[in-house]
Amino acid sequence: MKILVADNVSEQGVAILKKEHDVDVKLKLSPEELIKIIPEYDALVVRSETKVRKPIIEVANKLKVIGRAGVGVDNIDVEAATQKGIIVLNAPEGNTIAATEHTMAMMLALARNIPDAHKSLKEGKWLRSQFMGVEMRGKTLGILGLGRIGSGVAKRALAMEMKVIGYDPYITEERASAMDIELADVDKVLAEADFLTFHLPLNADTKYLLNKETFKKLKPGVRIVNCARGGVIDEVALAEAIEAGVVAGAAIDVFEKEPADPENPLFKLDKVVVTPHLGASTAEAQVGVAVDVAHGILVALRGEPVSTAVNISAVPTQVMQVIKPYLTLAEKMGCLAVQLAEGPITTVTVEYDGEISEVDTKMLTTAVLKGIFNPLLQEPVNYVNAPAMAKARGVKTKEVKSKDAEHFVNLITVRVKTAKGETEVAGTLFGKEDGRIVMIDKYRVDANPKGWLLISPHMDKPGIIGQVGSVLGNYKINIDRMQVGHAAQAGTNIMVMGVSAEITAAALDKIKTIDGIIGAKVVNFNIG
Ligand code: NAD
Ligand code: MLT
């Protein structure tokens, strides 16, 4: 496949991609140039410079994945990508330490006037009294956003004997108190912080979180640090607050417009320390994000679920360990059920029995939907768009769970309902990863879901299987495996034959005319 690397990412990440695919590194492309070439590519890798907006995504007809070497995906239109079934993934952990340490450096530089003192000494001046600082110990640090970086900053601030108070709508009281952070509402954090630092994403809720109005809620003399995203603070209002003496100073790494406008009012103020978006700029972090994003891209191009995808709900590692071996099986069960069913599907029910019922199985249900819709639709169906495809077609999806699986440790049953009836298939793993179909409607079977299968319920009487074999032989179709499954009540059986090639409609019609054959379908597992 073809991968375009459009921003400057570490060579180590590019080398990982090159081992499996063709990689073009083309930097500083204009939106027009990107629109022109993007239809050729299966994957796109960016940092924050390249803006992947809707017009680019709309023409990216082969694109399967966009990888962001870093955390923030605000330079990518994630909604447009999701609608087109494109996975957007990031590298959320590679630069956490770099950004955390940069925040501490910025806070200390601000508290001790280091940039100005440094500049003045290099200019030949010795101005000890002009650069009087403040101590961190005993001060209150207010943190907005207690995720990876926010909690890392808290840990370091506590080591410096600061009191830490924070706000994050998605963090529980228990989690905060385990980190020695007092959880409070935004207004309390604003009112009590001597130092206030931002570690949240930029979105509709956080845009201009600090604005003309909210500046009035701050403790006079507060020092503000922003190493998250420009735009969470109104820069003009911040400059005014510093000039008015409400805010004692600010340390800013990120700007509303980047590269920053040289006329930015903050650049004219002595009490402002600035860096040009350097939070992630360490040798270690740049290798880290490039390697992480490269691995994510390879996994996505293999069609496997990616734990760092931002437009699929994240699956915790412990849950992933349990469900991962079942993902291919679940997809194949969807693929089998849809090819056996007749008529438009109205409901898909996925039942999880046994130990597997105790974890979050949403991704497995998505795998079933992926298996169902891939044979039906022209466009590629993946973990991103499969639930949306079901919804758009009015297909109801249900999960049923039970801790007891009668004959197996774990059993997954897929029931596909159409106006004409219900088709049921059940599957499990033999050993650690050998996925098997163990039930087709009322028949107990043991079928390996791969290649082509001829599935034919028939009367339990001699000679039928031999006649089917003769028809296939006449059409030069080889049988490479075969099994007869029994129904609970005697009278009918099902034959499940692995065949070497697709069975033509003519051959299938011949099979259906054999006396005692109840039905015959060919299922193709080579789709998707
Ligand atoms: P994260 O996802 O681990 O943490 C973000 C936290 O913000 C989450 O806990 C979330 O619950 C919280 N949050 C969301 N909305 C909120 C709101 N309205 N109020 C309070 N909290 C809210 O992300 P992270 O890795 O810690 O990164 C934090 C920020 O830093 C991101 O914006 C990221 O893009 C930025 N970042 C900047 C640099 C840099 O170079 N300066 C480097 C890395 C990350
Ligand atoms: C991020 O979101 O990861 C940082 O802002 C760093 C970067 O843009 O590379």
Side-chain angles (χ1 to χ4, degrees):
M1 294 200 211
K2 284 190 76 178
I3 302 173
L4 174 64
V5 177
D7 285 332
N8 201 359
V9 301
S10 157
E11 190 44 47
Q12 293 189 41
V14 177
I16 291 172
L17 296 172
K18 279 184 178 166
K19 274 193 199 148
E20 292 194 23
H21 301 285
D22 290 341
V23 182
D24 292 334
V25 180
K26 295 184 179 175
L27 310 180
K28 303 211 177 299
L29 294 168
S30 68
E32 294 71 32
E33 287 169 322
L34 195 51
I35 285 177
K36 218 172 181 182
I37 64 169
I38 199 68
E40 294 171 37
Y41 290 96
D42 300 277
L44 171 66
V45 179
V46 295
R47 274 189 67 188
S48 53
E49 291 78 6
T50 300
K51 312 289 174 226
V52 194
R53 304 286 178 227
K54 206 171 179 177
I56 294 163
I57 289 170
E58 269 170 354
V59 296
N61 291 331
K62 278 173 76 185
L63 204 65
K64 294 159 189 67
V65 53
I66 302 170
R68 156 75 162 104
V71 185
V73 288
D74 36 340
N75 55 321
I76 301 167
D77 188 334
V78 178
E79 204 182 312
T82 305
Q83 277 168 11
K84 218 171 154 71
I86 299 170
I87 298 167
V88 179
L89 59 88
N90 65 353
E93 284 168 15
N95 61 27
T96 300
I97 296 298
T100 305
E101 291 182 357
H102 195 68
T103 304
M104 300 312 289
M106 292 293 268
M107 211 177 331
L108 286 161
L110 179 64
R112 302 305 293 269
N113 304 303
I114 288 174
D116 284 350
H118 166 91
K119 185 166 169 270
S120 141
L121 181 54
K122 284 208 161 175
E123 284 167 359
K125 298 173 203 155
W126 188 259
L127 301 170
R128 293 185 66 204
S129 59
Q130 195 171 315
F131 298 116
M132 187 67 71
V134 290
E135 289 179 7
M136 319 280 286
R137 187 182 67 150
K139 300 285 176 353
T140 298
L141 173 65
I143 305 183
L144 298 176
L146 293 165
R148 284 174 292 263
I149 298 169
S151 57
V153 167
K155 193 171 165 187
R156 285 154 182 81
L158 288 164
M160 295 176 75
E161 300 179 53
M162 297 182 87
K163 177 188 169 193
V164 180
I165 176 170
Y167 169 71
D168 188 316
Y170 307 108
I171 296 279
T172 60
E173 200 71 64
E174 294 74 48
R175 182 114 187 268
S177 96
M179 295 190 283
D180 282 333
I181 300 170
E182 181 189 329
L183 209 54
D185 60 26
V186 188
D187 285 356
K188 188 164 189 265
V189 176
L190 298 185
E192 293 188 6
D194 298 301
F195 287 82
L196 179 65
T197 183
F198 289 79
H199 300 288
L200 34 74
L202 174 66
N203 56 36
D205 289 341
T206 60
K207 172 100 182 162
Y208 287 162
L209 210 150
L210 260 195
N211 55 43
K212 254 190 175 32
E213 282 313 302
T214 47
F215 269 110
K216 294 180 190 154
K217 299 180 177 177
L218 296 174
K219 181 172 180 178
V222 61
R223 287 176 169 79
I224 294 172
V225 181
N226 184 10
C227 292
R229 277 294 176 266
V232 301
I233 303 176
D234 177 343
E235 289 165 0
V236 176
L238 174 59
E240 285 168 7
I242 293 171
E243 279 177 315
V246 180
V247 171
I252 310 288
D253 181 49
V254 284
F255 300 87
E256 202 171 340
K257 181 169 167 267
E258 291 185 5
D261 185 345
E263 295 308 312
N264 189 313
L266 293 172
F267 297 171
K268 299 187 173 67
L269 302 176
D270 285 345
K271 291 172 181 156
V272 175
V273 176
V274 286
T275 45
H277 203 146
L278 293 186
S281 295
T282 63
E284 297 88 340
Q286 284 318 303
V287 172
V289 292
V291 167
D292 289 354
V293 87
H295 284 305
I297 294 265
L298 294 186
V299 172
L301 288 180
R302 274 185 228 124
E304 293 169 11
V306 191
S307 60
T308 51
V310 299
N311 52 354
I312 313 174
S313 49
V315 180
T317 317
Q318 311 89 292
V319 174
M320 195 54 134
Q321 274 165 356
V322 179
I323 66 168
K324 198 169 178 219
Y326 290 88
L327 283 167
T328 308
L329 174 67
E331 185 175 340
K332 292 199 168 182
M333 286 169 65
C335 182
L336 171 62
V338 72
Q339 293 182 74
L340 292 178
E342 282 178 17
I345 300 169
T346 54
T347 311
V348 175
T349 307
V350 189
E351 184 172 325
Y352 299 95
D353 298 321
E355 291 164 3
I356 201 162
S357 67
E358 292 177 49
V359 299
D360 183 346
T361 45
K362 262 198 257 44
M363 184 165 264
L364 283 173
T365 302
T366 303
V368 171
L369 294 176
K370 182 172 180 264
I372 288 178
F373 286 105
N374 251 325
L376 298 180
L377 303 174
Q378 280 292 313
E379 65 251 58
V381 183
N382 55 32
Y383 285 96
V384 177
N385 61 3
M389 298 255 176
K391 209 169 164 200
R393 282 158 188 80
V395 176
K396 287 198 198 98
T397 310
K398 293 188 208 161
E399 282 190 1
V400 178
K401 292 188 173 190
S402 156
K403 280 189 191 165
D404 310 309
E406 228 178 294
H407 304 294
F408 304 94
V409 178
N410 286 308
L411 185 72
I412 303 176
T413 306
V414 175
R415 292 189 194 94
V416 165
K417 208 170 178 174
T418 69
K420 293 194 176 166
E422 191 171 78
T423 303
E424 178 176 301
V425 298
T428 192
L429 286 190
F430 286 6
K432 282 199 175 124
E433 52 185 32
D434 187 7
R436 295 300 176 98
I437 304 298
V438 293
M439 200 88 183
I440 298 177
D441 291 328
K442 58 187 174 177
Y443 303 100
R444 170 80 179 84
V445 297
D446 171 5
N448 193 348
K450 66 171 195 181
W452 281 281
L453 286 185
L454 169 66
I455 297 178
S456 173
H458 58 93
M459 300 309 294
D460 184 12
K461 60 178 195 175
I464 298 182
I465 295 170
Q467 291 181 63
V468 172
S470 302
V471 174
L472 293 176
N474 290 340
Y475 281 87
K476 308 254 177 299
I477 294 167
N478 189 39
I479 301 166
D480 54 27
R481 61 214 142 100
M482 139 105 204
Q483 205 228 340
V484 178
H486 304 276
Q489 291 99 17
T492 60
N493 290 336
I494 198 165
M495 71 182 96
V496 182
M497 277 183 186
V499 287
S500 57
E502 190 159 16
I503 300 178
T504 59
L508 201 61
D509 284 346
K510 274 243 155 70
I511 290 169
K512 285 180 189 164
T513 61
I514 295 169
D515 184 32
I517 289 285
I518 300 169
K521 289 245 163 113
V522 186
V523 172
N524 180 4
F525 287 102
N526 302 314
I527 309 169

